[in-house]
Structures are given as C-alpha cells and as structure tokens.
Amino acid sequence: MTDLARRHHNLPWFSLLVFFVTAVACAKPGVVGQLRYKNQAPVWRVNDRRDVAKKPGEYRFYAIRDRFEAVVVRPLEDALNVSEPRRAKDINSLGEAPDSTWFTNRMGLRQLSLREVARGPNRGDGPDLSAPLVILKSKGGGSAIGFVAEDVTGTRYILKFDHLKQPIIETATDVVVQRILWACGYNVPENSVIYLGRDRLAVTERSTIRDAIGKRPLTESDVDEVLTRVPGRADGRFRVLASKYLPGVPVGGISPVGVREDDVNDTIRHEDRRVLRGLYVFFSWLQYTDVKSGNTLDMWVEDAERPGRHYVMHYLLDFGKSLGAFGPLHGRIYDGHAYNFDFMYDFLSLFTLGLWQRPWEGTPDPGLPGLSPLDAEHFDPGAWKPHWPYSPFRHMDEYDGYWAAKIVMSFTPAHIRVAVEQGRFDHARAVEHLTRVLVQRQRRIGEYWFRRVNPLDGFALGEREGRVRLCFDDLLLRHGLADRTSGRYAATSFNFSGKSLGWRADVRPGIGTAATGNEQGHAYTACVDGFSLAENNHGYTIVRLDTWRGDRRLLPVEVHIARHPISGVARIIGIHRR
Amino acid sequence: MACKKTSCRWLYCLGLVVGLAGMARVAGANEPIEVRTTKPRPAEVPVKAHEETDVEPAARIPDQESDEDLDRAPLPQEASGILIERDRSRHVWLAIPRAMLFVPRWALEVPIAVSRYTLWAYEHYDVKDRFKQVFFNQDETLGLYPSAFLETGFGYNVGARFVWTEFFGKGESIRARAGYGGRSERVFEAKLSSGRIFDDRILIGTVVDYEDSGRARFFGIGNSDLVTFDRDLTPVAAPFDETAVATRFAREDVRVELLVQARLSELLAVRTSSAFRHSSFGRSTDLRGDDGLHTVYDTGLLVGHDPGLDSLYGEVELACDTRRVSYSHLPEPVPSRGHRIDAWIGYQRGLAGDPSRFVRFGAEAQRYFDLWRGDRVLVLRARFEGVVGGLDRIPFVDFPALGGPYVLRGYPRDRFRDRHAGLLTAEYNYPIQHWATGYIFAEAGRVWRRFGDLNLDDNRLGFGAGMQFSTMESFLARLLVASSIDGGIEFSLSFDPIFGARKRAGRTQ
C-alpha cells in the first residue's frame, strides 16, 4: 500500500477494489477520456468579491466537537456512504488555483524576487517605536504570553513573547513560516520580530488585563510581572513578535468542511478546495502541525476600490509552533509523524514494548538557539500528519499534492534563505542549518509528489505553417530528482470526439523529435511537433502524452488544444491528468 | 476506433452534440479575454529552453487586473472551464453497497447527533467554566466541589472536596475532602501546606483525617500460602501461627500528622514527620467472600485489636534524588537516569492502654538505566523495612507489609506482614505517547520473622504491566494489571507515583 493510501486509511476497502477493477478493465492504451474543456483561455482570477452586505455570522472553533467530527464522524460517514474520491473544484482548466480571496499566485507562476520574499506581506517594519507602545489589554487565546498594543500611529499589534525556557524559537519560527506561506500564495498577517525595552511599553487608564480574577485595569507592575516570565536579553530588551491587526471585522475561523452559508462568494465546499487540501504539502514542509480552524481567520472587509462593498478574506494565523517547535515547547517529539491520538502508533507502541523504533526517533537536536529538532531524514512527505485529522487533508489527492509541490519546488535556496533570515536568529549558523533542512525537505516533497502523477508541466505551444509544436518539462528531471536518461514519452492526438488523428511521436527529454531542433534545449524539456490540429470544432485536439520511467508506464497527461474562435491562434485550453 | 460498443458510440455522439453546442455558446456569448503579458522571471530561476523559441507557454497570468476585469471574471465554481465532465457511469454499481449500508448509516445518525450536540453544548455553553463559576471563586483559589470516582474492587466513592490556595500568595494551601464508599466507608481529611511561606527549601504541612473502613483485609502474619479456613478448627493464633487466611475487618482511624521537610541541597532532602493515631477495630459487615477476621484469628493475640490503639510516631527520613530525564522533551515524571536513595528510622509509642513500643527502620534504593533514547528505561529497586520490638509491642496493623499497588504488585494489599519485609523490583518503562508510558515489571519479595532467618527461599513473585499517565511536569495516574506465581489478577488505578517517597507516619502502609 502506498503512503498516500496509508494516510487515507479510512477509505473503504471496497472503493479501492472498485477503482482497481475498473482501472484494469478500462485502461486501454491509445484512448482519451471524456473530459472536454470550453474553448477559452484558462481562468486566472475568480470573482469571489461580490458584495456581502451583511456581516456573516461568526464561525466559532469548538475544539472537542471538531476533533470528534474529524476523527470519528467523517471517516465513518464516508465509509458508510461509499464515498468516492473527488478532485478539487477551485481550479482552472490547467489544474492551477486562480487568484481569489483565499489565494494569490506568487511563487510558482509569478516568481518573486528575493526582496519580495524578504518583505512578505509587510508594508512596514512593524510598529512605530518613536513613542512607547500603549498596551490595551493582555493577549487572549493561545499559550504564548503577550499584549495587544497600539503604536503612535494608532495601528494595533499583537505582541507575543517567547517562552522563558525556549527563547527565540516561537518568534523566529512565526516569521519564517509566515514569509514562506505568503510567498506560496496564502493570506497572512504582517508579522515582524522586534526588540523592545521596558520603556517602550506604556500603560494607560484604558489598559486592561484578564487574569484568574477576571478583567481588571492593567498596571505597570502587571507588565513588570509579565516580563519576569519571558526571556530578556543581555541589553535589557525583549524579543517580541509584532503581528499587525488584520483589516476588517473578524468573523471566525475557516470551517474545515462545508461553506459559509451567509457568504455568497463561498460556493465551493472547503474540503473540495485545492488551496486548503494543498496546505498538507506546505504544512508538511514547514512542520506546521497545529492545523485547526482556530488558527485561521476570516475577515469581513470593505473593498478599498469600491467603498460600500464588502467581502470575506481568508487568512492563516499563528505559525510560531511550526518547524518542530512542539518538541521543545510541549514535548511532542512525534510532531508531524502521528496524531495526538493515533490509534495505530499507540497500539504498536504499547504492544511492541519499546522495541519498535518509531519514525520520529533519532531526529537530531541542532543545539542552536531558536531551532528545534527538524530534519529531512525522518521526513516522509506522504505519511506526514498534523496533530488532529483535518478534513481537507483527508480529501486531498495526488493532484493537490502535485500542485502544491510545484510551488514548493519553485523556491530556490536563496528564496528560502532570505525567508529564514527574517526570523532574526542570533546565530548565522542557525540560518544556515534551517535553510539546509528546508531545502532538503523541499527536495523530498518534490521527489514524493512528482512521482505520484505524471509530472509533465510547463506546456508551451507553437505553430508554424499549420504544423503544431508542443513542448513540456519533466519536473522530476528539471529538479534533478530522477535519472535524466530514464524518461521517454509518446504523444498521440485525438479530435474532440476522441477519435485518433493518426499521429504519433516518440521523444526523449533534451532530444526531441528530428524536426524539433531541441538539441540546444535543456535536458528536462521535450518537444513534439509536426502534428496538425483537427479540422472541426475550432481545431479541438487532445494530445495524449504517455510517459515511461524506465519500464514503468505512468498515467497519461492530456493536453487540450483549440484555436481561438476569432484569431484562429492555437492555444492550450486545458490540461487533464488521468 | 477506441470503443466499439454501441453504447459508447451513443455517448460519443451525445458528447459531440453537447460539446459543439457548448463551444458555440462559448464562442458567441462568452468571448474570452486574450492575455499577452508575462511577468519576467528573476535571474535565479533558470530559463526554459522553449522560452527561447516561438512557442507560447500555457500558464500565462496577468500582472494586474482592473476592477472591471474582476467583475467580468468567472465565479469560483466556473473556473474549471469544463465543458463535459468525466464519465462516472462506471461507478454506478457502487449503489449496491450504498443501499446495503443505508440502514446502518442512518441508524448511526442518532448516536452521532447526540454526541455531536452534547460536545457542542459543552463547549458552547462553557460548561467547564460554569462548573468552576459555581464551585470556585473567580480566581479559582477557593472552591468546594463534588467528586466521584471508581475504585476497582471497592466500588464507587462519592463526596466533596474543599480547596483554598494562595491566601498569602506563596503556594500555601488548605485542602479537605469527605467521601463515602469505595475503599473507605467514610473518609474525612484536611491538609494544610505552607507552600513557599518560609522558604523555597522548607515545607511544613499538617494533616488531620478520619477514615472508617468496613472491609480492611488481613491475611495473618508471616509468609505462608493462603489456606481455606475450616470453621471447626480453633482460631489461628497469629502471630505465633503463620497460617494465612483471607479475612476482612472493620477499622476506624483518626490521625493527626505534622510534617517538616527541608531541602539541604539540589539532591539531598531531610524529612521529619510525627503523628498521633487513634485506631479501633471491629467486625466487618461486608466480607465480599472472605472470612471475618474475628472468626479466623484469635483477636486476643492480635496486639492492639482490643481495645484499640492510641499511639505517637516520629520519624526522620533522608533522601538523595538524582533522577532526571535525558532530554528536555521527555516528561519529568518518567526519569531516564539517576537514582533515589531513601533511609528512614522512626519510633512508635503507645499512649494510655496502647502497648505499642517499637522502632521502624528501612531503606529503599532505586536506580534508573537509560537503555535507549531516554525513554526506554530499566528501573531496579531494592527495599527493606523492619521493626524492632517484642511481638507483644507491635500492633498487628503495624508490621511491615507487602502486596498492593506499590510493593509486591500482583498480590492483594497487605497480603504479607511480619517484622521484616524485603523486596526487589525490576521494571521496564517504554514510551507510548508523550502523556502515556507503558511498563512491565517483575517483583520478588517476602517477609521474615527474625533477622537471622533472612533467606531467599519461598520468595513471592509478582509480575504485570500497565500504563502511567503524566503531563510534562507532573504525575497523573498509574493503571496496573498484575498477577503472581500464586495466581489471581489484581487491577488498580493509583494516583501516587510508585517510585516516589512514601509517607509512613500514622499510616499502616
């Protein structure tokens, strides 16, 4: 059983049997599926900013109920319903996620500069410290100690401190992960690591604190007392994570299933959203295991360009316990390997009497301030687990994983390094170490997910004198994850009704067919040419690309091509991975 | 032709018609926007070969779009551009298992709905917080709340607890509890602890308690095997006759204890404890299959049984504790390495008609071996305890005893008693979860009458397994399933760590 199937262990066995039988029965070489695309350019932006005039109701995170649902109810219901896997629905005809209130294409399709990654979503350098920050109240929720404060410009920030025994870890981790997730395309708050002296924190008559007694006025001595519980620095200052208040009105977290009934733009069930399913890959890369709706936030915002119109923006929050920080902070060394209640691991651990070396054991502690045990050797991208099952992850498939892995792999080591530097670690060696680990984990992700599908991508089309040329990259080869001599491809073409057009070409990467002239090309690129588009249906042609990796034949990729109805220019209108 | 079946041809024809109609609509009514711009790639991203040719990449996305563009953009569910869906008809026969599972599916809805809304209500209405609001003050330092728990083999205990902490803000506390049922018929207990009032290194505490137990157990005095008592025989003359019979008796204890503990260094602590105890004994009315003590044993020979005990006890204990975890991510209540050595000596003297007069002494050594990664740990323990005094000066409940959830597990509590008790333990701890540790153990021990008789013959051997639950900082509970070479299975759930310090003052194990 594959790792993916293992992770989806609750998939009913008979469904697997059904798919196996039907796959064997229907797998006829040389045919194309029945999926057809509209003759239009791929959609890169969707309109999910229609006016939501009334503030949506607050979605409250019920930790126990949500976990009961995720652990017991939904797997049981899926099994009894004999649910079939279903592909993500928030994607365009190329299998990419268009820009929306959930996601903005950044790394991957729009490459970011190092400067952009370094800055992330931040518009400034954190709070204006020319005058003391006025504490409004003590921070509620979460385990970190902190305050809500306002700077001289009236901008509000949540100030979070590190744990006394584990300095640097939480503040640095938060900013590193925030920068990377933003670069991946998600909405995140503006977070920065700053250093504050005690004189930069002020209390007014508006300041309140909620402690065991309840809500009461905050005093200077309360602030002093709080600061005794956080690590100070040699120069007397404190290291603080400043997280800027998000614009708009909070309306609770993102439900892991279903939609917001009172949001007209929320039309795709959340478990069917690729941008949520794909988080599995990003979170596994960054060891972000505290996955729950409580760590997400929907904001009802007014459209800056069109005053009076409102819509809901979707954010990810609280990244401080990623990168393995749950180990040193809470003793959860199984972070990323097992659920908090993981019956299989608990059962095996109980009855093997400790003789079984569990997958996470032996993860080395780097011994550098601000870093937690995290490595690539103990990382299995297909077997990674958050602390609790999360419904979108249960529904994710290899196509979601492939989509996310492409984005992960688009980060160069320089991109990763510049994001890590924003954590403001005390030691350069910490930056070096974490960058190296993230690059290694990145490659594991690419190797795993690019082998789950046929990883042909980067399709490009050209036409000269009625002869069409189709070029594509083999991502496993492009990223050096497979032997460059191992791939070969066969292309066949079909018309709209699925009838063969009688053309076939065999090609190897970096060589191309005799007519392509790809000899100067990269070793991971292959081109097929010399074929003609169908004569009817605006030239609707499907090029089926079969890939052999050694002797293993992968499921094909179908490239749908049609002529523009007006200009007649041939273009790719859809890509379907079987 | 890929598919020669007639049905397939029909589907293709239908698809063709629908597809043509769809494309005609697309071409006419929904004219796509042509995009020509691509964003330049940064220098560190390699340029693909075909970017140098005349081919156009498929994935070209616009840099910026105007609000008008946004208004014209498709809705999220329309982004896929799919004209004809994939054929899913081949999965129609899944309707068969779905139909078969229809009834169980809906039958489960009821318990699921009940569970779902119960959990929802628990959190939505903050039941936990409301419980605290009802039974505690705002800062949760003063509370009176009900308690109920199940003690295996003894039944339910229900009662109430009172707690008042931090009245000087130094960790001091007053705690009291009253309970009914379970191991004790009635129990009342009040504790006062100084916390950090005097110093971080000095702790003073006092305990006053009353316990009425109707089914305490007595198996005679000695190391003998259990026998069935023949009612025609004369009563057993313990302690001179070592015949062991499972009996029960009733007892009532009132105890006042004063404890002073001083930490001399990081590793070394001294503890002095003194206690006054009043005990009276009677007939059990809840024998649970055992015999009554009074029918089996000659109670006239059991020191202290009639008319009871009123005694003072004082003890000094020295403890050296170097136990620690190998790695910071491991829970502190499950040490990886180090040792703990305790030695104690105490003296008990009776008041009024109580004949008690004896010296109690003992030592316990524990050694922890980190076998692997700090959480596969072998614990070895050797324990010896003795009393020095005449048999007519040692109350029958004050002999060192073995059996129960702490010493010689696998045997009932207080199964063996005599002047000297020795025990060897080997326990292996291994990790299950960060909050649960598994263990297996074997223990050998026995009791002796005279020190010169000390030998390793007739050792009793207990063995078993269990789980220990803890947070990162503190011990929570221990679950035990144990047996012995003499048979029987013992279950217990204990709330004191087995390898921690034991309190003896005023207690009978």
Side-chain angles (χ1 to χ4, degrees):
Chain A
M1 192 183 283
T2 65
D3 291 337
L4 192 65
R6 257 205 329 266
R7 191 159 47 75
H8 294 280
H9 57 277
N10 42 26
L11 198 69
W13 64 269
F14 34 84
S15 292
L16 287 174
L17 183 64
V18 167
F19 296 134
F20 176 74
V21 170
T22 50
V24 169
C26 300
K28 297 174 185 172
V31 298
V32 288
Q34 296 186 352
L35 183 81
R36 300 291 182 271
Y37 292 98
K38 296 173 187 171
N39 186 5
Q40 63 182 33
V43 172
W44 289 108
R45 190 180 190 188
V46 293
N47 181 10
D48 60 350
R49 298 178 193 223
R50 288 179 293 165
D51 187 29
V52 181
K54 186 182 171 192
K55 183 176 89 73
E58 184 165 345
Y59 175 80
R60 187 173 157 189
F61 169 57
Y62 294 104
I64 301 174
R65 188 205 59 178
D66 283 8
R67 286 159 188 170
F68 172 70
E69 294 271 347
V71 174
V72 178
V73 178
R74 285 178 204 127
L76 197 61
E77 285 182 345
D78 282 350
L80 293 176
N81 288 335
V82 199
S83 298
E84 296 173 71
R86 51 181 190 264
R87 295 202 186 183
K89 292 187 166 54
D90 60 334
I91 53 175
N92 66 11
S93 56
L94 301 183
E96 304 290 344
D99 291 353
S100 67
T101 55
W102 298 78
F103 183 84
T104 304
N105 283 287
R106 296 191 182 103
M107 291 297 288
L109 292 178
R110 293 185 179 110
Q111 287 291 342
L112 301 179
S113 68
L114 299 181
R115 185 186 297 270
E116 285 175 302
V117 173
R119 178 157 288 273
N122 295 12
R123 304 286 175 87
D125 296 324
D128 184 339
L129 297 177
S130 59
L133 300 175
V134 175
I135 297 174
L136 302 175
K137 58 183 179 181
S138 54
K139 184 181 90 67
S143 59
I145 299 170
F147 301 108
V148 173
E150 201 172 75
D151 71 4
V152 68
T153 67
T155 308
R156 286 191 180 184
Y157 290 86
I158 298 172
L159 306 178
K160 296 181 192 175
F161 298 89
D162 280 304
H163 279 240
L164 185 59
K165 292 181 180 175
Q166 303 289 351
I168 304 176
I169 286 184
E170 237 181 311
T171 51
T173 298
D174 193 295
V175 171
V176 173
V177 174
Q178 176 248 11
R179 294 292 203 275
I180 291 177
L181 286 175
W182 176 84
C184 289
Y186 291 91
N187 301 320
V188 296
E190 296 184 31
N191 294 353
S192 330
V193 172
I194 60 171
Y195 295 94
L196 285 180
R198 173 65 181 88
D199 62 330
R200 295 291 91 183
L201 290 171
V203 171
T204 70
E205 65 279 1
R206 290 188 297 155
S207 309
T208 59
I209 186 170
R210 183 176 288 279
D211 59 11
I213 298 171
K215 191 174 177 181
R216 61 179 176 80
L218 180 80
T219 63
E220 294 282 357
S221 61
D222 288 325
V223 177
D224 293 335
E225 193 277 327
V226 166
L227 294 179
T228 62
R229 293 188 277 131
V230 302
R233 299 178 69 83
D235 60 4
R237 295 187 299 165
F238 298 92
R239 185 184 160 95
V240 182
L241 174 77
S243 181
K244 190 175 171 182
Y245 257 41
L246 291 170
V249 181
V251 289
I254 299 171
S255 164
V257 292
V259 297
R260 266 186 188 277
E261 299 292 346
D262 47 6
D263 178 3
V264 67
N265 298 307
D266 196 5
T267 52
I268 297 174
R269 293 181 65 81
H270 297 173
E271 66 270 32
D272 292 337
R273 284 193 173 273
R274 174 156 290 174
V275 296
L276 290 182
R277 293 175 172 197
L279 278 173
Y280 177 88
V281 175
F282 301 120
F283 285 173
S284 70
W285 183 28
L286 304 168
Q287 195 81 311
Y288 181 104
T289 48
D290 196 13
V291 187
K292 57 187 180 187
S293 60
N295 278 346
T296 61
L297 188 61
D298 284 348
M299 300 297 292
W300 185 58
V301 297
E302 184 171 11
D303 194 322
E305 304 295 327
R306 294 171 292 187
R309 291 180 62 166
H310 294 80
Y311 55 88
V312 176
M313 288 289 291
H314 312 276
Y315 289 87
L316 305 179
L317 301 177
D318 285 348
F319 317 108
K321 293 197 173 70
S322 311
L323 302 176
F326 264 105
L329 292 176
H330 299 288
R332 298 181 188 172
I333 53 168
Y334 55 83
D335 206 26
H337 294 274
Y339 296 125
N340 276 353
F341 283 97
D342 199 311
F343 301 115
M344 185 187 77
Y345 277 117
D346 295 348
F347 183 84
L348 286 173
S349 298
L350 177 63
F351 289 102
T352 54
L353 306 178
L355 300 176
W356 172 44
Q357 180 173 353
R358 296 172 297 173
W360 55 88
E361 294 187 271
T363 306
D365 188 337
L368 292 166
L371 294 187
S372 310
L374 181 77
D375 69 355
E377 287 71 33
H378 294 80
F379 173 47
D380 181 347
W384 183 86
K385 290 178 182 173
H387 286 166
W388 296 96
Y390 184 61
S391 283
F393 294 172
R394 233 166 35 77
H395 289 269
M396 84 169 285
D397 54 28
E398 56 269 40
Y399 310 103
D400 303 313
Y402 173 73
W403 167 80
K406 280 196 297 180
I407 296 175
V408 169
M409 292 304 291
S410 69
F411 283 78
T412 64
H415 282 115
I416 295 170
R417 184 191 168 89
V418 80
V420 170
E421 284 172 346
Q422 306 315 305
R424 300 183 73 174
F425 291 91
D426 283 356
H427 297 277
R429 280 176 55 218
V431 174
E432 296 295 336
H433 178 85
L434 184 54
T435 303
R436 187 168 60 249
V437 168
L438 288 177
V439 169
Q440 290 168 348
R441 289 172 74 94
Q442 176 197 35
R443 292 188 64 77
R444 288 226 164 193
I445 282 173
E447 188 161 12
Y448 179 85
W449 290 108
F450 290 169
R451 288 185 187 279
R452 302 268 99 57
V453 298
N454 190 341
L456 304 185
D457 216 285
F459 292 96
L461 195 69
E463 186 176 17
R464 190 176 294 166
E465 297 169 358
R467 313 300 284 177
V468 181
R469 180 188 199 192
L470 177 67
C471 295
F472 52 89
D473 295 343
D474 186 329
L475 295 190
L476 266 178
L477 304 188
R478 178 172 183 159
H479 294 286
L481 299 169
D483 178 9
R484 299 206 166 187
T485 62
S486 67
R488 61 188 176 91
Y489 320 99
T492 43
S493 63
F494 302 84
N495 66 8
F496 182 86
S497 56
K499 184 178 178 184
S500 172
L501 294 174
W503 171 82
R504 179 189 167 93
D506 292 294
V507 67
R508 285 184 178 275
I511 299 172
T513 58
T516 58
N518 189 37
E519 288 81 2
Q520 287 81 35
H522 289 287
Y524 51 78
T525 300
C527 292
V528 292
D529 67 353
F531 66 95
S532 303
L533 299 187
E535 292 179 353
N536 50 14
N537 300 324
H538 296 292
Y540 197 113
T541 301
I542 304 163
V543 177
R544 170 185 160 128
L545 293 166
D546 287 289
T547 301
W548 280 265
R549 191 80 63 202
D551 294 331
R552 184 172 159 240
R553 181 180 179 175
L554 308 181
L555 285 171
V557 178
E558 294 170 1
V559 182
H560 293 240
I561 303 166
R563 295 191 185 283
H564 190 283
I566 297 173
S567 68
V569 174
R571 59 183 179 171
I572 294 172
I573 59 169
I575 294 168
H576 177 56
R577 296 177 194 281
R578 297 282 290 275
Chain B
M1 191 70 180
C3 180
K4 297 186 186 304
K5 290 181 182 175
T6 309
S7 59
C8 288
R9 288 204 190 99
W10 274 106
L11 282 172
Y12 282 140
C13 289
L14 183 62
L16 185 63
V17 170
V18 173
L20 286 172
M23 279 198 294
R25 186 177 63 81
V26 168
N30 191 15
E31 182 63 24
I33 301 165
E34 193 60 19
V35 178
R36 290 288 176 195
T37 56
T38 52
K39 193 162 186 173
R41 294 172 186 276
E44 58 271 20
V45 179
V47 177
K48 295 191 292 185
H50 52 253
E51 286 175 347
E52 298 160 357
T53 68
D54 58 350
V55 294
E56 287 286 330
R60 295 183 309 170
I61 55 176
D63 281 338
Q64 293 291 331
E65 289 183 87
S66 66
D67 293 326
E68 289 72 27
D69 292 332
L70 176 60
D71 285 336
R72 286 205 301 272
L75 299 176
Q77 64 272 26
E78 298 167 347
S80 69
I82 290 176
L83 182 68
I84 304 173
E85 287 280 359
R86 286 183 298 155
D87 178 24
R88 304 183 72 81
S89 59
R90 64 191 180 194
H91 298 151
V92 290
W93 71 273
L94 286 178
I96 298 169
R98 283 181 185 140
M100 291 168 61
L101 293 169
F102 181 80
V103 173
R105 162 81 178 79
W106 288 102
L108 271 172
E109 274 301 303
V110 175
I112 284 175
V114 170
S115 306
R116 177 184 286 142
Y117 287 106
T118 302
L119 294 173
W120 173 84
Y122 175 79
E123 291 183 275
H124 186 77
Y125 295 108
D126 297 323
V127 172
K128 188 176 169 186
D129 287 343
R130 286 172 194 270
F131 178 88
K132 286 180 182 173
Q133 285 170 8
V134 169
F135 295 106
F136 285 84
N137 66 343
Q138 270 194 321
D139 54 359
E140 296 176 27
T141 56
L142 179 65
L144 177 64
Y145 56 96
S147 67
F149 57 90
L150 175 67
E151 289 181 279
T152 310
F154 292 100
Y156 287 98
N157 178 291
V158 293
R161 293 177 184 231
F162 169 82
V163 59
W164 186 18
T165 63
E166 302 284 347
F167 36 90
F168 297 126
K170 297 276 188 183
E172 67 289 334
S173 65
I174 295 175
R175 296 174 192 274
R177 71 181 174 109
Y180 178 81
R183 191 152 62 87
S184 303
E185 287 285 318
R186 286 178 294 274
V187 59
F188 305 101
E189 182 181 67
K191 293 180 183 175
L192 174 66
S193 170
S194 68
R196 303 181 302 276
I197 285 180
F198 302 103
D199 189 297
D200 277 355
R201 292 177 301 173
I202 295 177
L203 179 77
I204 299 176
T206 184
V207 180
V208 178
D209 69 13
Y210 165 80
E211 185 173 0
D212 178 9
S213 171
R215 40 184 174 272
R217 306 192 77 177
F218 183 73
F219 298 87
I221 297 173
N223 201 52
S224 302
D225 293 332
L226 273 180
V227 296
T228 305
F229 180 65
D230 184 347
R231 290 175 183 274
D232 295 334
L233 298 177
T234 53
V236 178
F240 308 106
D241 181 345
E242 296 192 6
T243 300
V245 181
T247 67
R248 290 183 185 262
F249 63 102
R251 62 181 294 175
E252 217 175 7
D253 294 281
V254 176
R255 189 167 62 90
V256 180
E257 178 191 357
L258 178 66
L259 171 85
V260 179
Q261 184 172 300
R263 190 158 47 83
L264 305 178
S265 71
E266 281 297 315
L267 308 177
L268 200 61
V270 62
R271 184 169 70 178
T272 63
S273 50
S274 54
F276 165 77
R277 186 184 74 201
H278 166 81
S279 301
S280 59
F281 308 98
R283 297 184 175 196
S284 171
T285 56
D286 185 7
L287 295 173
R288 303 197 172 199
D290 294 337
D291 291 305
L293 180 147
H294 63 284
T295 62
V296 176
Y297 291 96
D298 182 351
T299 56
L301 293 175
L302 291 177
V303 175
H305 188 278
D306 299 314
L309 300 167
D310 289 288
S311 60
L312 285 173
Y313 179 78
E315 180 185 284
V316 177
E317 178 182 8
L318 199 62
C320 174
D321 192 348
T322 69
R323 296 176 299 173
R324 64 196 180 280
V325 291
S326 295
Y327 304 102
S328 60
H329 62 254
L330 297 172
E332 287 176 15
V334 190
S336 310
R337 58 182 63 191
H339 59 261
R340 179 184 172 94
I341 298 171
D342 288 75
W344 60 90
I345 185 164
Y347 178 68
Q348 182 165 315
R349 184 181 178 95
L351 304 174
D354 181 351
S356 303
R357 188 177 297 176
F358 65 89
V359 172
R360 179 189 296 275
F361 66 97
E364 179 172 315
Q366 303 163 14
R367 184 78 169 93
Y368 292 71
F369 298 93
D370 179 357
L371 301 181
W372 197 34
R373 300 199 189 287
D375 48 13
R376 278 79 161 181
V377 179
L378 176 66
V379 188
L380 298 179
R381 173 174 73 168
R383 177 187 172 90
F384 179 82
E385 186 169 18
V387 289
V388 178
L391 287 176
D392 57 342
R393 293 293 190 178
I394 306 170
F396 74 107
V397 291
D398 284 326
F399 284 101
L402 296 177
Y406 303 106
V407 283
L408 200 57
R409 294 164 282 177
Y411 288 91
R413 187 185 287 261
D414 299 338
R415 168 64 183 81
F416 304 100
R417 326 171 179 243
D418 216 321
R419 272 184 172 146
H420 307 102
L423 178 72
L424 294 173
T425 297
E427 180 172 298
Y428 167 66
N429 295 340
Y430 63 94
I432 297 173
Q433 260 278 13
H434 70 297
W435 46 265
T437 301
Y439 64 90
I440 54 174
F441 71 90
E443 289 188 320
R446 63 160 298 170
V447 294
W448 302 272
R449 179 62 50 84
R450 285 175 293 276
F451 201 76
D453 295 340
L454 194 149
N455 64 68
L456 297 178
D457 297 336
D458 297 328
N459 264 311
R460 304 293 172 171
L461 181 66
F463 46 85
M467 288 173 69
Q468 176 171 311
F469 306 99
S470 59
T471 66
M472 286 296 287
E473 293 82 23
S474 53
F475 171 89
L476 295 176
R478 243 189 185 230
L479 194 63
L480 168 74
V481 182
S483 185
S484 70
I485 55 173
D486 295 308
I489 295 180
E490 298 288 321
F491 297 94
S492 75
L493 178 64
S494 51
F495 298 95
D496 289 318
I498 184 173
F499 295 119
R502 300 248 75 81
K503 293 177 181 174
R504 284 168 293 274
R507 291 176 173 82
T508 52
Q509 292 297 320

